[in-house]
Amino acid sequence: MRLVRGLLLLTGLGFGLWGVWLMRDFTSEQLVSMGTFLAGGVLLHDAVIAPVTVLLGVVAARLLPGRTRSVAAIAFLVWATLTVAFVNVLSGQGGKPDNDTVLHRPYGLSWVVMTALIAAIAATVAYRRRRIAGPPRSR
Amino acid sequence: MRLPRVEDIEKRIPRPEDFTARSRGPATTARVGTALGIAFGICFLTGLWSHFQYSSPGWLPIGPNPAWLYRVTQGTHVATGIASVPLLLVKLWSVYPRFFLRPPKARRDQLLDVLERASIGVLVAAAIFQLTSGLLNIVQWYPWEFSFRRTHEAVAWVAIGALLVHIAVKLPVIREGLGASVEDETPVHSDGPSRRAVLRGVTVASGLALVLTVGQTVPFLRKVSVFGVRDGGGPQDLPVNRTARAAGATRAASDPAFVLQLKAGGRSMSLTRDELAKLPQRTHRLPIACVEGWSRNAVWTGVAVQDLIALVGAPSGSTVIVRSMQTRGAFRTSELPGDFVDDPRTLLALELNGEPLSLDHGYPCRIIAPNRPGVLQTKWVRELEVRT
């Protein structure tokens, strides 16, 4: 185990240094741009996406009845992660005006349909669970 | 009124114990992390492969067989990257409370803590960077000053390096986490989702991300992949990556006085499009496979490059330099290695799916060869020169 960990550590450091070596002839403008994206991604996640998710969890825990929370959380997981995965086509950016073989689908509409479907499935599951489980324990 | 002291502020910052979701913890993190690690490994290997296909190193000559190879490796690269997005987000969610761990008291532990946090910082930054830059590149949106190709490669090495360091540091926790049951202990604090539910949720999300986009390279999912960048359609039933206008090739390519130049050593020859069409024609079904992760099969008709260079007395296995009429873009010239020229499926195509090439597909003539990245399938060809 010690040997495996040691080898992994050394290989990892080697890979990382090789990556930095590949950047040796990047101009300062390119490095600044790359650095902005590297730091910006972490900042966007740690300071915006993660706290907002936690906050939504807190709000949902206050508003939603106990038995529906679990379903709501999973529905949010699927919806939110898919929205982030599709943010490139949903952004309206990219493509070229003279090339209609790129990005010419109705992504916004698909997203609305996806959102509605996830909400409908979650509502159905929550409703059926409530019936199977009977009235909530706390009264 | 007094100013708040450091301790007062510290009290307001949440602690890991304040996060009550019972579905977090090593059993969840280790499982999602393993899936994410495998996905990143696939992206890394297929990504390296793509760089090899762009410029094949001497020790690894990449030939025309199998014709579908690049289509599969690059389609897998992009599809796996997209499917990784839910995995990465849930992985980060599962360990977010640890972000608020207070530094240890002992000096020696503090140093280790700083090193570990730094390595995780590099890993998270590089992982987010790779997925973001990849996702933006496939929609041809480049809001940056760096070269995508070179930077995506360099940061990939950093990401995989940091990942290996992270696995080395966490190996005992990972083993324990994978050994631990997915079933929860008695829920104490909260009635949120179970671990099993979170793992199922992220599996569904990752699978949906894949299915809803992968139709750009898997034909039978074309209709299902409503979030795919391409739907496989286009002029002559094939998508276009760069139009004639964008490449600055429109004027030269539509000139009726076009002649193709053939050169080999001292010998040279010019052929009009009609003369090219009178040479023996071959028809092959070959895919266009783009680095952006879309691909599509098409039927191409034209003259085998080996037949053309034979006209100027060059042997079949020669390396051929292909020059385009395009005035913009980095791939105006490409090199066809001997292995490709030697393959009779490597064509100077005049027709696509039974019609003369449209302007955006490379009229008057273009290269199509088996197993090549799309950008090397040079369009609007004006000259073939045999390297001697």
Side-chain angles (χ1 to χ4, degrees):
Chain A
M1 180 105 142
R2 270 189 87 139
L3 180 73
V4 173
R5 291 177 77 187
L7 282 176
L8 280 171
L9 194 72
L10 288 178
T11 316
L13 287 173
F15 274 38
L17 289 175
W18 174 248
V20 174
W21 173 250
L22 290 177
M23 301 169 191
R24 67 195 180 281
D25 59 346
F26 287 9
T27 65
S28 55
E29 194 189 19
Q30 291 174 324
L31 286 171
V32 168
S33 180
M34 180 183 78
T36 310
F37 270 81
L38 280 166
V42 177
L43 211 66
L44 182 68
H45 177 269
D46 287 3
V48 182
I49 294 178
V52 167
T53 305
V54 170
L55 209 68
L56 284 173
V58 172
V59 172
R62 297 228 171 123
L63 294 181
L64 295 174
R67 288 182 187 286
T68 62
R69 280 175 215 166
S70 174
V71 177
I74 300 304
F76 176 77
L77 184 167
V78 174
W79 173 84
T81 56
L82 285 179
T83 301
V84 173
F86 302 147
V87 84
N88 56 347
V89 293
L90 291 168
S91 67
Q93 303 290 319
K96 300 274 163 13
D98 63 338
N99 186 356
D100 64 2
T101 71
V102 196
L103 296 171
H104 74 299
R105 292 183 145 165
Y107 300 108
L109 179 67
S110 299
W111 181 80
V112 170
V113 171
M114 179 188 93
T115 304
L117 277 177
I118 293 175
I121 293 170
T124 311
V125 172
Y127 181 72
R128 287 180 58 182
R129 283 208 181 159
R130 204 186 59 150
R131 276 206 319 196
I132 292 164
R137 284 160 301 178
S138 55
R139 34 191 103 175
Chain B
M1 207 185 111
R2 66 181 176 83
L3 285 169
R5 289 177 310 180
V6 176
E7 297 90 88
D8 300 330
I9 297 170
E10 201 264 351
K11 267 186 207 139
R12 299 232 154 213
I13 300 174
R15 291 171 171 276
E17 310 84 82
D18 297 334
F19 295 83
T20 54
R22 60 188 170 129
S23 43
R24 286 195 179 98
T28 309
T29 305
R31 285 174 173 82
V32 181
T34 302
L36 185 61
I38 292 170
F40 269 43
I42 293 172
C43 282
F44 182 62
L45 294 176
T46 48
L48 283 186
W49 183 257
S50 181
H51 285 275
F52 288 148
Q53 288 237 262
Y54 265 62
S55 50
S56 174
W59 52 270
L60 183 70
I62 296 173
N65 287 309
W68 44 261
L69 183 60
Y70 189 70
R71 181 179 198 188
V72 170
T73 61
Q74 195 58 19
T76 305
H77 180 81
V78 172
T80 310
I82 296 172
S84 302
V85 173
L87 293 172
L88 178 64
L89 287 167
V90 172
K91 170 74 172 64
L92 292 175
W93 164 86
S94 76
V95 290
Y96 188 57
R98 297 184 58 79
F99 184 74
F100 298 99
L101 275 175
R102 301 302 192 261
K105 296 268 186 295
R107 238 337 126 69
R108 187 174 165 274
D109 295 345
Q110 277 177 359
L111 179 71
L112 279 177
D113 188 58
V114 168
L115 284 177
E116 198 201 331
R117 276 180 183 264
S119 78
I120 290 174
V122 170
L123 175 57
V124 175
I128 296 176
F129 181 92
Q130 288 302 89
L131 294 188
T132 310
S133 57
L135 282 180
L136 298 193
N137 188 68
I138 63 171
V139 295
Q140 306 185 341
W141 178 20
Y142 318 107
W144 49 62
E145 308 301 324
F146 50 78
S147 145
F148 170 77
R149 187 178 148 204
R150 295 203 50 208
T151 313
H152 199 67
E153 181 189 24
V155 178
W157 284 94
V158 174
I160 296 299
L163 177 60
L164 292 177
V165 170
H166 186 59
I167 295 171
V169 172
K170 294 291 185 191
L171 200 53
V173 188
I174 296 170
R175 286 173 55 147
E176 199 191 307
L178 289 178
S181 166
V182 188
E183 303 304 335
D184 302 286
E185 307 91 57
T186 340
V188 200
H189 298 298
S190 122
D191 48 3
S194 65
R195 283 178 197 160
R196 191 173 286 283
V198 167
L199 291 174
R200 282 197 184 140
V202 69
T203 309
V204 167
S206 193
L208 280 176
L210 184 76
V211 169
L212 295 177
T213 53
V214 81
Q216 60 178 343
T217 194
V218 177
F220 74 91
L221 287 171
R222 277 174 72 183
K223 294 254 155 45
V224 182
S225 295
V226 291
F227 292 100
V229 178
R230 315 256 177 176
D231 65 3
Q236 303 177 317
D237 207 23
L238 186 74
V240 172
N241 210 45
R242 183 186 276 270
T243 59
R245 212 181 80 182
T250 311
R251 187 185 295 190
S254 16
D255 184 354
F258 161 79
V259 282
L260 174 81
Q261 301 290 335
L262 282 175
K263 290 183 186 166
R267 295 180 66 175
S268 70
M269 193 175 177
S270 338
L271 290 164
T272 65
R273 196 173 187 284
D274 284 344
E275 286 166 337
L276 283 168
K278 285 192 185 111
L279 292 171
Q281 304 288 305
R282 297 180 199 242
T283 299
H284 293 291
R285 190 173 168 79
L286 290 172
I288 287 276
C290 182
V291 70
E292 289 162 16
W294 65 270
S295 63
R296 188 147 162 80
N297 254 323
V299 177
W300 307 89
T301 302
V303 189
V305 172
Q306 52 175 254
D307 294 349
L308 279 170
I309 62 169
L311 296 175
V312 281
S316 174
S318 314
T319 299
V320 173
I321 318 283
V322 182
R323 296 199 174 88
S324 168
M325 301 174 218
Q326 67 187 84
T327 52
R328 283 194 286 274
F331 291 89
R332 276 173 272 181
T333 302
S334 67
E335 190 177 294
L336 269 173
D339 287 349
F340 288 90
V341 177
D342 209 22
D343 190 309
R345 292 172 299 174
T346 298
L347 302 179
L348 185 73
L350 306 176
E351 287 184 14
L352 162 59
N353 290 333
E355 294 169 20
L357 287 169
S358 72
L359 195 56
D360 285 340
H361 282 310
Y363 182 90
C365 55
R366 73 170 297 169
I367 291 294
I368 180 81
N371 188 32
R372 294 213 96 193
V375 79
L376 299 178
Q377 311 274 32
T378 308
K379 301 197 273 193
W380 313 291
V381 174
R382 64 175 167 83
E383 185 177 288
L384 298 179
E385 182 182 351
V386 177
R387 190 193 264 177
T388 45

